[in-house]
Every structure is written in C-alpha cells, then in structure tokens.
C-alpha cells in the first residue's frame, strides 16, 4: 500500500519523501507485523530492497533486513538514483556515503546527495566506481562516530585508489562517565547538519 507518513524507527519522515523512494508498506506476520520496504534502485534498475520495521519492538532482533543476494555488497547503494537527481539538478560535485537508511534519508531531505552502503562492511570496488560514475569530484564518508565507523572509512579509503575521498567526522563527545555518546547522520542536530551542508557547498561551489 502507499505511504502517508512514518513514525517510530524511521524517525517521522514524510510520506512525500518516502514516496520518492518508491517505498511501500507491507504486512509481515512473521516479524513485526507491519514493515516499510525501501527499494534500492541503481541506474533505474531495482537491485534489491531493505525492509525496516514500522514500529520497533523490544523483542525485534534487527531493525533492517535486506533481500537475499550478493547485490548488497556489490551494488547496494540505497539512495543512488535520488542522489543522481540532486547532483544533476543542482550541479553538486560530491556524494556522501553513510551507513543506513535513516542516515541517507536525513541527508537527501536536506538536499545533500548521499547513498547508504547498508552496513559498514558492505564497501566494494564496484560501489566506489558507481559513486565516481556520478561525475563527482569527491566521495565523502560520514559514518557513525564509533569504531565501526572508522573501519568503514578505512575500507573506503583503501578502495578509492587514487580517487579523491574525504571523511566528515561527527563530534565525539562523552557523557559524565566517560562513555562515548554515539552519533550518526540521522541523530545529529540540525545545526551540525547545516554546518556539513555549508562546508560541502563552500568546497565545491
């Protein structure tokens, strides 16, 4: 069925934004009852899909499930065609790689061309080639501010070869007990998001 709006796991993104992804709502009695399905379209071809639980339950083992196949590691770039549209429409010269669905939705909503790699280990040479095939000068990585995010950046840097890649580091603040306050592109404040956008535009304006 169509999407009119979503709360819970996907953070209240509007139905209009989700419709641009071709998202639809599915009933899955074996999991959380109701799920949101996000098709992954690369160069106008559906390569696979990501299922996100509509309202996260305490007993739910995972928030996202990808459809079967090796497409996830080879061409699994959620938001690729939407990023391409933004790049062409506004003349952007960059694309930002993030980890998951909520991250990429947040950036695309702001007008930042972005793709989700769907897992920090799902970086491949083909994905890097697809990113630069967008005609951009630079591929940025903006992973979560934890150790897994650092691993994602190291892999991107390794596969970039002689291409221009840079990391956008999110703040690494700690609580009163010295524990890292985890931040990702979805959870960062509007002020931080605006700073990121301004920085990108100044570098490539």
């Amino acid at each position: 069925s169509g999407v009119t709006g979503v709360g819970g796991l996907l953070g209240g993104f509007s139905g209009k934004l989700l419709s641009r992804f071709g998202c639809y709502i599915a009933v899955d009695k074996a999991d959380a009852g109701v799920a949101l399905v996000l098709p992954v379209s690369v160069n106008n071809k559906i390569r696979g899909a990501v299922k996100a639980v509509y309202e996260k339950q305490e007993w739910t083992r995972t928030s996202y499930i990808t459809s079967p196949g090796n497409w996830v590691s080879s061409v699994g770039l959620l938001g690729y065609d939407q990023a391409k549209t933004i790049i062409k429409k506004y003349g952007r010269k960059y694309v930002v790689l993030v980890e998951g669905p909520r991250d990429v939705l947040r950036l695309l909503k702001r007008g930042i061309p972005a793709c989700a790699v769907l897992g920090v280990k799902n970086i491949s040479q083909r994905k890097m080639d697809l990113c630069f095939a967008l005609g951009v000068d630079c591929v940025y990585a903006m992973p979560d501010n934890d150790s897994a995010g650092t691993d994602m950046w190291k892999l991107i840097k390794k596969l970039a070869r002689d291409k221009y890649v840079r990391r956008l580091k999110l703040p690494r603040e700690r609580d009163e007990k010295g524990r890292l306050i985890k931040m990702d592109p979805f959870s960062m404040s509007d002020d931080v998001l605006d700073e990121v956008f301004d920085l990108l535009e100044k570098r490539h304006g």
Side-chain angles (χ1 to χ4, degrees):
S1 63
V3 181
T4 57
V6 206
L9 180 66
L10 287 182
F13 291 109
S14 71
K16 182 178 180 180
L17 176 68
L18 294 171
S19 293
R20 283 163 48 191
F21 273 79
C23 299
Y24 61 93
I25 294 173
V27 176
D28 186 354
K29 295 181 180 179
D31 193 2
V34 179
L36 185 73
V37 179
L38 300 91
V40 180
S41 176
V42 177
N43 290 325
N44 299 313
K45 181 179 179 180
I46 300 297
R47 311 296 178 136
V50 180
K51 183 184 76 173
V53 296
Y54 190 74
E55 293 286 349
K56 189 170 184 179
Q57 308 293 327
E58 291 184 3
W59 50 266
T60 302
R61 291 185 178 182
T62 181
S63 300
Y64 305 106
I65 299 174
T66 55
S67 56
N70 63 3
W71 66 272
V72 181
S73 58
S74 61
V75 295
L77 290 169
L78 178 64
Y80 187 87
D81 284 351
Q82 291 78 12
K84 181 190 290 187
T85 297
I86 293 174
I87 288 168
K88 289 183 176 180
K89 183 175 181 180
Y90 298 104
R92 308 275 194 252
K93 286 296 183 179
Y94 58 87
V95 65
V96 181
L97 292 180
V98 295
E99 293 184 27
R102 295 190 306 174
D103 301 325
V104 74
L105 285 169
R106 180 87 188 282
L107 269 61
L108 289 171
K109 181 180 179 181
R110 182 63 177 84
I112 298 173
C115 302
V117 298
L118 303 176
V120 296
K121 296 181 179 179
N122 286 326
I123 313 292
S124 65
Q125 190 62 61
R126 190 174 181 189
K127 282 190 179 183
M128 295 304 300
D129 292 342
L130 281 168
C131 287
F132 282 104
L134 291 169
V136 298
D137 295 332
C138 180
V139 172
Y140 289 92
M142 190 161 64
D144 298 359
N145 67 344
D146 54 14
S147 59
T150 298
D151 290 341
M152 172 181 160
W153 162 240
K154 288 179 179 178
L155 188 52
I156 287 173
K157 189 176 180 180
K158 177 182 178 181
L159 293 175
R161 298 175 181 173
D162 58 344
K163 300 290 188 179
Y164 188 65
V165 294
R166 289 290 183 271
R167 180 180 182 179
L168 296 169
K169 289 187 176 182
L170 292 172
R172 289 180 59 86
E173 299 177 357
R174 299 185 180 275
D175 61 20
E176 64 279 358
K177 294 184 178 180
R179 295 172 298 194
L180 178 69
I181 300 174
K182 192 174 183 301
M183 183 182 291
D184 54 41
F186 171 74
S187 64
M188 65 183 175
S189 68
D190 288 337
D191 289 341
V192 173
L193 180 60
D194 288 341
E195 287 182 19
V196 170
F197 181 77
D198 291 343
L199 172 65
L200 293 171
E201 288 300 290
K202 287 178 181 177
R203 286 185 178 178
H204 301 276

